[in-house]
Amino acid sequence: MIEDFLEESWSYQEMVQKGVDQGIEIGKKQGIQQGALSALRPLLVRVVEGRFPELTTLARQQAERFTVPELLSDVIDKLAMAQTADRARQILMQLDQVPDTPHSDA
């Protein structure tokens, strides 16, 4: 009885709608982030494959570990400017030092 009364009140409905709206907004942001990662991961591999083919396997492994599109984009920029395979390897391995990116052994 009291639940029915609460569910019909404008304040209850307003709170529920606010929660729904917040959930939708969070979902959109997560979807955009996942879309960006899905586009950037293959780009990282293509950049490495084209410039340093011997690092392609490492690039594929590291690409999947990225969880932040902005970080992945920065790494792609650095790889595009790398002069040597050793420098490209260092850039790829720096991912192990990023605190918000999960390690495979964690």
Side-chain angles (χ1 to χ4, degrees), residues 33-51:
Q33 183 172 355
Q34 287 303 314
L37 287 169
S38 293
L40 290 170
R41 285 175 175 144
L43 178 59
L44 178 133
V45 174
R46 283 195 310 269
V47 167
V48 171
E49 191 172 43
R51 300 200 63 224

Side-chain angles (χ1 to χ4, degrees), residues 43-44 46-48 50-52 72-84 87-88 91-92:
L43 178 59
L44 178 133
R46 283 195 310 269
V47 167
V48 171
R51 300 200 63 224
F52 310 106
L72 180 50
S73 181
D74 289 345
V75 168
I76 292 169
D77 290 344
K78 289 177 183 178
L79 287 167
M81 294 184 290
Q83 297 295 315
T84 66
R87 179 63 186 135
I91 293 166
L92 288 168

Side-chain angles (χ1 to χ4, degrees), residues 10 25 42-43 62 88:
W10 66 269
E25 191 62 33
L43 178 59
Q62 297 296 74

